[in-house]
C-alpha cells in the first residue's frame, strides 16, 4: 500500500502548479473564458515539467551538451508534453488578442510593402518582406490580419525556441517552461506579437542562433600524457556539430538581412563556437564552409537588386545598396556620447526591465547565470550576460521614440537565465530534492503563479482583438460623399487607416490620399486653390497646422 500511496501523493503534488495558476488568474481578473483556458494550459505545462524525471547533483546543469542517459529518457515524454503545452498556451493567448486591422506607425508600411513587393524604409527588412508576402497569400481574412498572424506565429516560435534553449542548458524541462512563458507574456513582446511589426522575427533569429549553438559539444583535446577515450567522442558528433554550427551561422546571416542589431550577437557566436572548438581556425576547410554558410544567410539581400528598379525607377549600385542595408539613413539616432547628459536613460532602462519582469524573475535570472558559471558552463554564463549587456547598451544610446523594442533580445536572454535559475533552485533545495515531489512542485507552483499573475496583468493592456480605432474612423470617413478625384489630406495619427482602405482594400481608388506632413500634403493645405483637384482635409485643426510645417 505504501507505493500506491506515494504515487498518489506525488501526483497530487505535481498538479499543484495547475491549481496555483488558476487561483492566481481568478484572484487577479474577472471571469474571462479565454484567459482562464490559457491559465489552465500554463498550469498543466508546469505540472508536466514538475513531474518529469530530472538528473540530480552536478548533472542538473551539464558540463557539456549532455549525452542522454536512461534517467533523461524517462523524462522525455513529459518534457515534450510540457513544451507542447507551452506552445499551445502562448499561441492561444496571441491568437485571442490578435488585432484584426492595421495599426499606426510602421504597420501599414509593412503591410503595403509585403503585399505589393515594394521596399520598406532602411534597412529594408528583406527577409520580413518575403515572409510577409507569403502570408499575404493565405486564403483567410484580409492582408492586415494575415500580417498580424505572421507576428503571432513568430512570437510562438520564439517561445518554442526559448523552451528548447533553456531546457538544453539546464537539462530540465522546468527551465524551458519558465523561460518560454516569462518571455512570451512580457507586455513588450506580447504587444509586438499581435500587430504587424518586425521585432518578433528578430527574437526568433536571435534565439534560433543560440539554440543551434547550444547543441555544440566541446571537442576533447588530446593530452600528451593521456590517451583520448573513445567514449568521450560520440560517433558522428563531429558531423553533427558541423551541422549545428553551419545552421547557426546561416541564421546569423539571415538576421543581418532583417535587423541590424543582430550584429551584437556575432561576438557571442564567435565566443561560443571557439569555446567548443578552439582549433576551428586551424582548419581552412571548416572556416571556408562557415563563411559560406553565413553568406548563404545573406541571400535575401538579392531582393533589393530585383525590385529596386521597379519600385524606385533608378538602377541600384553597390554603394547605395550598402548604405541602405546598413541604415545610413538614420544618422544621429545612436549616440552614446549623449548618455552623460541624459541620465534619465538609466531610469528608462530600469523601468523597461522592471515592467517586463517582476522581482522573482530577475532574482532567478541572477541565480541562473551564477549556476551556469558554477557548473562548468562558464561560456554560456558569459554569452547570456553579453547579450543582455550589449542590447541594453544599445538601448541607452539609441534615441528613437520607440527605442525600447531593441531590448527584446535582452529580455529574452533574461528569461532564459531565469528558467535556468528556477531549475537550479528546484534542484538545490536539499539532498532529497529528487525523492520529495513537494519540493520540486513547490518551485513550479511559485513560478506558475507568477506567470499567471503576469498573464492577468498584461492581457487587458495588450489585447488588440477589437482592432485599431483609427481604421473604423477611416472607413466611416471614406463612406462620406467626398468629391471624385479629390486629394484627401489626413492627419498622420489616423492616416494608416486611410492608406490601408485605399491601397489594399480598393476603397475609393479615385482619391489621392496623402499625409498632412508630406510635401504634397503641406502644399495642398497651404494653398488649396492652386491644386489641380479638390482638396479635402480630415482630422486636421487649424491650431495643428504649424506643427506640420504649414503657415
Amino acid at each position: 500500500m505504501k507505493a500506491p500511496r506515494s504515487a498518489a501523493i506525488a501526483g497530487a503534488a505535481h498538479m499543484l502548479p495547475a491549481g496555483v495558476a488558476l487561483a492566481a488568474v481568478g484572484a487577479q481578473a474577472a471571469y474571462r473564458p479565454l484567459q482562464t483556458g490559457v491559465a489552465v494550459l500554463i498550469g498543466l505545462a508546469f505540472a508536466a515539467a514538475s513531474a518529469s524525471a530530472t538528473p540530480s547533483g552536478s548533472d542538473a546543469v551539464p558540463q557539456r551538451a549532455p549525452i542522454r542517459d536512461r534517467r533523461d529518457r524517462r523524462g522525455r515524454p513529459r518534457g515534450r508534453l510540457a513544451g507542447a503545452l507551452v506552445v499551445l498556451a502562448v499561441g492561444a493567448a496571441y491568437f485571442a488578442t490578435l488585432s484584426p486591422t492595421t495599426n499606426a506607425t510602421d504597420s501599414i508600411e509593412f503591410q503595403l510593402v509585403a503585399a505589393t513587393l515594394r521596399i520598406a524604409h532602411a534597412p529594408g527588412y528583406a527577409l520580413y518582406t518575403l515572409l510577409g508576402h507569403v502570408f499575404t497569400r493565405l486564403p483567410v481574412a484580409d492582408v492586415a490580419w494575415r500580417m498580424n498572424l505572421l507576428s503571432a506565429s513568430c512570437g510562438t516560435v520564439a517561445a518554442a525556441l526559448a523552451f528548447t534553449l533553456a531546457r538544453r542548458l539546464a537539462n530540465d524541462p522546468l527551465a524551458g517552461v519558465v523561460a518560454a512563458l516569462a518571455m512570451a507574456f512580457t507586455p513588450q513582446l506580447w504587444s509586438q506579437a499581435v500587430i504587424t511589426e518586425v521585432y518578433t522575427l528578430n527574437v526568433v533569429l536571435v534565439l534560433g542562433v543560440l539554440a543551434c549553438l547550444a547543441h555544440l559539444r566541446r571537442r576533447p583535446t588530446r593530452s600528451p600524457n593521456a590517451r583520448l577515450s573513445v567514449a568521450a567522442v560520440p560517433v558522428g558528433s563531429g558531423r553533427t556539430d558541423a551541422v549545428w554550427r553551419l545552421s547557426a551561422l546561416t541564421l546569423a546571416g539571415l538576421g543581418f538581412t532583417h535587423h541590424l542589431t543582430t550584429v551584437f550577437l556575432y561576438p557571442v557566436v564567435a565566443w561560443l563556437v571557439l569555446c567548443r572548438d578552439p582549433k576551428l581556425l586551424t582548419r581552412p576547410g571548416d572556416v571556408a564552409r562557415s563563411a559560406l554558410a553565413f553568406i548563404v544567410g545573406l541571400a535575401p539581400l538579392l531582393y533589393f537588386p530585383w525590385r529596386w528598379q521597379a519600385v524606385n525607377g533608378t538602377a541600384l549600385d553597390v554603394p547605395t545598396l550598402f548604405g541602405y542595408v546598413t541604415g545610413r539613413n538614420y544618422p544621429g539616432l545612436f549616440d552614446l556620447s549623449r548618455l552623460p547628459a541624459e541620465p534619465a536613460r538609466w531610469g528608462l532602462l530600469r523601468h523597461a526591465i522592471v515592467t517586463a519582469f517582476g522581482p522573482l524573475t530577475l532574482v532567478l535570472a541572477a541565480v541562473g547565470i551564477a549556476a551556469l558559471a558554477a557548473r562548468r558552463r562558464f561560456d554560456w554564463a558569459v554569452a547570456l550576460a553579453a547579450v543582455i549587456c550589449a542590447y541594453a547598451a544599445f538601448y541607452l544610446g539609441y534615441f528613437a521614440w520607440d527605442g525600447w523594442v531593441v531590448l527584446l533580445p535582452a529580455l529574452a536572454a533574461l528569461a532564459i537565465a531565469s528558467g535556468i535559475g528556477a531549475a537550479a533552485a528546484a534542484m538545490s533545495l536539499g539532498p532529497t530534492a529528487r525523492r520529495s515531489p513537494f519540493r520540486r512542485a513547490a518551485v513550479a507552483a511559485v513560478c506558475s503563479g507568477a506567470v499567471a499573475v503576469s498573464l492577468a496583468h498584461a492581457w487587458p493592456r495588450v489585447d488588440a482583438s477589437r482592432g485599431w480605432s483609427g481604421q473604423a474612423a477611416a472607413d466611416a470617413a471614406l463612406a462620406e460623399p467626398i468629391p471624385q478625384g479629390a486629394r484627401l489630406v489626413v492627419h498622420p495619427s489616423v492616416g494608416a487607416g486611410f492608406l490601408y482602405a485605399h491601397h489594399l482594400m480598393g476603397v475609393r481608388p479615385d482619391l489621392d490620399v496623402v499625409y498632412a506632413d508630406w510635401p504634397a500634403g503641406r502644399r495642398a493645405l497651404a494653398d488649396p486653390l492652386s491644386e489641380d483637384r479638390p482638396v479635402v482635409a480630415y482630422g486636421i485643426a487649424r491650431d495643428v497646422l504649424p506643427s506640420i510645417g504649414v503657415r
Side-chain angles (χ1 to χ4, degrees):
M1 294 295 294
K2 185 176 181 180
R5 184 178 300 174
S6 299
I9 294 174
H14 292 314
M15 289 307 296
L16 180 62
V20 171
L22 282 174
V25 169
Q28 290 291 326
Y31 179 70
R32 299 186 181 98
L34 290 175
Q35 189 171 325
T36 304
V38 173
V40 170
L41 293 173
I42 291 172
L44 293 176
F46 274 102
S50 174
S52 61
T54 308
S56 60
S58 61
D59 291 336
V61 181
Q63 179 177 354
R64 55 181 63 87
I67 301 172
R68 305 294 183 183
D69 58 15
R70 292 181 180 177
R71 290 175 303 177
D72 190 44
R73 291 193 192 102
R74 291 199 301 267
R76 281 183 180 180
R78 289 171 180 167
R80 290 170 179 168
L81 176 61
L85 289 169
V86 164
V87 171
L88 188 59
V90 173
Y94 286 174
F95 187 82
T97 56
L98 190 68
S99 172
T101 66
T102 189
N103 210 312
T105 63
D106 292 338
S107 292
I108 178 60
E109 179 192 3
F110 290 130
Q111 290 164 1
L112 284 170
V113 165
T116 60
L117 287 179
R118 293 181 175 271
I119 296 176
H121 64 272
Y125 305 100
L127 177 63
Y128 185 79
T129 299
L130 294 171
L131 287 176
H133 187 69
V134 173
F135 269 74
T136 61
R137 299 302 176 184
L138 294 176
V140 291
D142 57 9
V143 170
W145 190 89
R146 297 168 198 164
M147 288 295 292
N148 295 339
L149 181 64
L150 171 59
S151 295
S153 301
C154 289
T156 306
V157 172
L161 289 171
F163 175 87
T164 301
L165 177 57
R167 182 189 181 187
R168 182 78 182 182
L169 293 178
N171 198 18
D172 189 342
L174 179 60
V177 172
V178 173
L181 295 179
M183 180 196 73
F185 293 141
T186 58
Q188 287 86 341
L189 181 64
W190 195 346
S191 66
Q192 300 302 297
V194 296
I195 62 173
T196 301
E197 264 297 356
V198 300
Y199 300 106
T200 53
L201 179 57
N202 185 40
V203 176
V204 166
L205 293 169
V206 170
L207 292 181
V209 170
L210 295 177
C212 289
L213 295 176
H215 285 78
L216 295 180
R217 302 176 188 270
R218 189 184 301 277
R219 277 183 174 260
T221 56
R222 184 183 296 274
S223 171
N225 300 322
R227 290 186 176 183
L228 181 65
S229 172
V230 177
V233 187
V235 177
S237 63
R239 182 176 300 175
T240 302
D241 282 354
V243 171
W244 286 117
R245 183 182 70 250
L246 297 179
S247 299
L249 291 171
T250 301
L251 288 174
L254 286 172
F256 181 82
T257 70
H258 177 63
H259 206 272
L260 291 178
T261 57
T262 309
V263 299
F264 299 138
L265 200 62
Y266 294 168
V268 176
V269 173
W271 163 260
L272 290 173
V273 168
L274 293 178
C275 282
R276 297 284 141 178
D277 189 0
K279 295 187 177 181
L280 174 66
L281 297 180
T282 64
R283 302 193 299 274
D286 285 345
V287 172
R289 282 187 285 271
S290 299
L292 180 61
F294 181 79
I295 293 172
V296 168
L298 299 177
L301 294 180
L302 296 175
Y303 174 78
F304 297 115
W306 172 44
R307 295 295 299 165
W308 192 274
Q309 179 79 32
V311 173
N312 296 314
T314 59
L316 178 65
D317 53 30
V318 174
T320 301
L321 173 63
F322 181 79
Y324 201 79
V325 300
T326 56
R328 288 185 178 178
N329 291 5
Y330 294 101
L333 285 182
F334 179 74
D335 187 3
L336 274 176
S337 64
R338 293 173 55 186
L339 188 57
E342 300 276 354
R345 297 292 295 179
W346 293 98
L348 292 175
L349 174 63
R350 181 188 62 80
H351 176 76
I353 295 175
V354 169
T355 55
F357 302 119
L360 174 63
T361 304
L362 296 178
V363 170
L364 288 177
V367 172
I369 292 178
L372 285 172
R375 290 168 176 164
R376 300 182 182 180
R377 297 304 294 266
F378 181 76
D379 52 347
W380 273 99
V382 171
L384 291 180
V387 171
I388 295 168
C389 293
Y391 283 93
F394 182 75
Y395 168 77
L396 289 173
Y398 187 57
F399 290 86
W401 69 271
D402 59 347
W404 60 269
V405 290
V406 303
L407 274 177
L408 289 178
L411 299 181
L414 278 169
I416 300 297
S418 70
I420 298 170
M427 294 303 298
S428 63
L429 289 174
T432 61
R434 200 166 156 263
R435 302 190 191 101
S436 174
F438 286 103
R439 296 186 180 181
R440 182 171 174 82
V443 174
V446 171
C447 294
S448 176
V451 171
V453 170
S454 176
L455 173 78
H457 281 167
W459 190 296
R461 295 170 55 188
V462 301
D463 188 2
S465 58
R466 295 183 179 180
W468 179 48
S469 60
Q471 185 66 65
D475 293 340
L478 289 172
E480 297 292 328
I482 302 174
Q484 189 76 14
R487 174 162 289 133
L488 181 59
V489 185
V490 297
H491 195 276
S493 63
V494 295
F498 288 89
L499 291 179
Y500 181 82
H502 178 67
H503 290 287
L504 291 178
M505 300 301 294
V507 178
R508 294 298 305 269
D510 58 295
L511 299 179
D512 179 27
V513 179
V514 296
Y515 279 17
D517 57 353
W518 291 357
R522 292 194 186 102
R523 288 195 303 269
L525 292 175
D527 190 3
L529 297 179
S530 65
E531 297 293 307
D532 58 352
R533 59 179 69 193
V535 175
V536 178
Y538 179 85
I540 304 170
R542 289 185 177 274
D543 56 350
V544 302
L545 292 179
S547 65
I548 58 177
V550 178
R551 297 181 179 178

